[in-house]
Amino acid sequence: MTGFLLALAAFSATVAGGLFALRFRAGLHFILAFTAGVLLGVVSFDILPEIFGLARRKASMPRAQ
């Protein structure tokens, strides 16, 4: 039951976001830019430190090429 409610919440948020974008079509480029910034922020502040922590525990530091 919890999975169904979580899926329903994700579906509702996606529909609400789509309707918001359609409603404010004139500012769609601002909405897309904000969304891209949020995704980059999630990667920078949440996922990337976790990746480096896992790599440190496995003793295999990633290197830039």
Side-chain angles (χ1 to χ4, degrees), residues 17 20-21 24-25 27-40:
F20 180 79
F24 299 103
R25 190 174 298 205
L28 188 60
H29 56 286
F30 292 122
I31 295 169
L32 292 175
F34 174 75
T35 304
V38 167
L39 289 175
L40 289 175

